[in-house]
């Protein structure tokens, strides 16, 4: 390994950008940090860069810019997308996250076909009358762990305000099925595609990738996103005024057992579609993907076992020891592949 004195300025800068992307992932997601730890170092840098780009855009719409107007948010998303596109074209950016993403995108073949639908979904998260979220009183303003991954002592605040923080207005409604499908495609399915390209690290995809591998990756991304929707229902409905599943501010009244059971089944159905595809990925990345698969399947199972009224008020969690057990099984080559309620049990061959 070259010493600092022997690194070129370009190599030193790219390493610094990748370290910044790694910091973003470690700060925001314990689950993906755990899963990615099983990846080879080079592939892990791609996943960290991809995660960081997605997370920064998500934070723009989720309130990291305190006091920003909807116009500010849309403008910043437009600017960031342009920075990403220019960084990939040039191979350089003064934005460290964009530079890290560009290095990985250029190495793996990630392009506008993936990031343009993603940014379109992010823009759809910005309502025309979005007020600024309440400031975080517990942390300095320059440190804002994403509340979708970090539960603080103010968790009960969401229970108290799930229905009272925002009054439903005439235009506030849940997304239609078609709108939700478009949102999931841009926010999750194309991220699955980007992950596949990162896993192959620039090598050609199998000839039948469009028939099996990529649909499986999209199904896995969609399943993860739907689990996030249910897990974060109280926060998204009350604080962010999102209508992914129910109208904003209506989580505890409109989210029913029937609604929950349908979503749980959809997630398990998509996980069953994705499971056989995982063993079609390069051998060196399978343990990491099985770990992520297992954590989200376990979370979906715990959601299934929790009354809808509780799901609508508090986040359901997978304890860290359980996550570690799932990761250890995946690393040993014996990942858990089925959960109660999963419609198709995947009989995994030795891999």
């Amino acid at each position: 390994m070259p010493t600092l004195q022997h690194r070129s300025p370009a190599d030193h800068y790219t390493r610094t950008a990748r370290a910044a992307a790694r910091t973003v992932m470690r700060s925001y997601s314990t689950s993906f940090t755990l899963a990615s730890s099983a990846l080879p170092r080079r592939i892990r840098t791609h996943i960290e860069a991809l995660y960081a780009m997605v997370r920064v855009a998500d934070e723009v719409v989720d309130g990291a810019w305190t006091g920003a107007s909807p116009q500010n948010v849309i403008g910043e998303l437009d600017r960031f997308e342009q920075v990403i596109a220019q960084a990939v074209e040039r191979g350089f950016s003064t934005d460290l996250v964009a530079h890290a993403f560009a290095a990985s995108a250029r190495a793996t073949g990630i392009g506008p076909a993936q990031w343009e639908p993603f940014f379109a979904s992010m823009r759809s998260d910005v309502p025309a009358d979005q007020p600024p979220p309440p400031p975080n009183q517990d942390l300095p303003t320059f440190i804002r762990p994403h509340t979708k991954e970090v539960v603080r002592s103010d968790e009960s605040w969401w229970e108290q305000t799930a229905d009272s923080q925002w009054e439903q207005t005439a235009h506030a409604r849940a997304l239609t099925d078609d709108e939700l499908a478009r949102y999931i495609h841009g926010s999750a399915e194309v991220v699955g595609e980007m992950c596949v390209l990162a896993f192959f690290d620039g090598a050609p995809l199998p000839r039948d990738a469009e028939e099996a591998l990529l649909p499986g990756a999209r199904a896995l991304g969609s399943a993860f996103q739907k689990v996030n929707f249910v897990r974060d229902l109280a926060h998204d409905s009350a604080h962010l005024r999102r209508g992914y599943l129910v109208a904003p501010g209506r989580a505890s009244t409109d989210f029913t057992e029937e609604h929950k059971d349908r979503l749980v089944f959809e997630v398990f159905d998509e996980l069953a579609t994705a499971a056989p595809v995982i063993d079609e990925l390069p051998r060196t990345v399978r343990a990491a993907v099985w770990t992520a698969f297992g954590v989200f399947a376990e979370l979906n199972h715990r959601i299934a076992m929790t009354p809808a009224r509780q799901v609508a008020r508090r986040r359901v969690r997978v304890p860290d020891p359980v996550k570690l057990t799932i990761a250890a099984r995946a690393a040993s080559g014996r990942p858990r592949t089925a959960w109660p309620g999963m419609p198709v049990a995947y009989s995994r061959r030795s891999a």
Side-chain angles (χ1 to χ4, degrees):
M1 178 181 296
T3 63
L4 181 61
Q5 290 81 2
H6 292 92
R7 290 178 188 165
S8 70
D11 181 60
H12 189 188
Y13 186 79
T14 297
R15 286 172 179 265
T16 302
R18 286 172 171 162
R22 185 177 311 119
T23 298
V24 173
M25 175 180 273
R26 289 179 177 178
S27 176
Y28 282 100
S29 177
T30 57
S31 296
F32 285 119
T33 297
L34 173 65
S36 67
S37 67
L39 292 169
R41 182 176 180 180
R42 178 176 170 84
I43 306 301
R44 187 167 65 247
T45 63
H46 296 328
I47 297 301
E48 289 166 345
L50 167 58
Y51 181 95
M53 185 278 286
V54 169
R55 175 55 60 202
V56 168
D58 197 40
E59 288 303 297
V60 171
V61 300
D62 280 1
W65 183 358
T66 303
S69 68
Q71 294 74 23
N72 291 151
V73 173
I74 291 294
E76 188 62 21
L77 282 174
D78 291 345
R79 185 203 66 81
F80 188 48
E81 182 177 12
Q82 184 177 19
V83 168
I84 291 295
Q86 290 177 345
V88 175
E89 179 182 359
R90 300 169 179 174
F92 179 82
S93 177
T94 55
D95 181 313
L96 289 176
V97 168
H99 184 85
F101 177 80
S104 291
R106 288 165 68 93
T108 62
I110 294 171
Q114 284 79 43
W115 74 63
E116 287 179 356
F118 168 74
F119 277 98
S121 284
M122 292 300 97
R123 289 186 189 93
S124 72
D125 272 338
V126 184
D129 59 346
Q130 181 186 38
N136 184 340
Q137 301 296 332
D138 299 328
L139 299 172
T141 57
F142 54 86
I143 301 176
R144 290 187 181 279
H146 195 316
T147 54
K148 292 184 178 180
E149 282 294 345
V150 181
V151 174
R152 302 184 299 274
S153 59
D154 62 352
E155 180 181 13
S156 62
W157 186 88
W158 303 116
E159 179 177 359
Q160 298 167 5
T161 62
D163 294 315
S164 61
Q165 178 70 11
W166 305 110
E167 292 295 330
Q168 187 178 20
T169 59
H171 67 277
R173 60 174 177 80
L175 298 181
T176 66
D177 289 345
D178 287 344
E179 289 169 340
L180 185 62
R182 286 196 297 272
Y183 182 85
I184 290 174
H185 173 71
S187 65
E189 292 179 349
V190 296
V191 175
E193 294 176 12
M194 286 191 270
C195 287
V196 168
L197 292 168
F199 293 150
F200 278 83
D201 193 22
L205 300 184
R207 291 184 178 181
D208 64 346
E210 193 53 60
E211 283 71 47
L213 184 60
L214 290 174
R218 295 175 193 126
L220 192 62
S222 176
F224 287 2
Q225 182 68 292
K226 288 176 182 177
V227 171
N228 286 339
F229 285 158
V230 181
R231 181 197 63 184
D232 300 331
L233 180 59
H235 175 270
D236 288 345
S237 178
H239 182 57
L240 299 180
R241 303 181 70 195
R242 304 278 164 76
Y244 302 129
L245 305 179
V246 296
R250 304 291 299 177
S252 65
T253 56
D254 291 3
F255 189 70
T256 64
E257 289 294 333
E258 181 181 2
H259 201 169
K260 185 199 72 174
D261 291 344
R262 178 174 63 83
L263 286 162
V264 165
F265 178 82
E266 288 178 7
V267 168
F268 275 142
D269 189 49
E270 289 175 328
L271 290 175
T273 297
V277 172
I278 297 175
D279 285 332
E280 303 303 319
L281 294 169
R283 187 181 299 272
T284 55
V285 309
R286 293 174 194 168
V289 181
W290 278 120
T291 297
F293 176 99
V295 169
F296 277 84
E298 176 66 21
L299 180 54
N300 195 51
H301 172 64
R302 288 170 181 260
I303 288 170
M305 302 300 292
T306 304
R309 181 174 178 80
Q310 293 183 27
V311 171
R313 290 184 173 273
R314 286 185 176 271
R315 298 173 90 243
V316 179
R317 300 174 59 80
V318 177
D320 287 344
V322 176
K323 293 181 182 179
L324 291 173
T325 299
I326 291 169
R329 285 194 57 171
S332 71
R334 299 179 295 104
R336 184 174 177 182
T337 61
W339 271 255
M342 190 175 290
V344 179
Y346 171 46
S347 299
R348 185 173 183 264
R349 67 179 184 275
S350 177

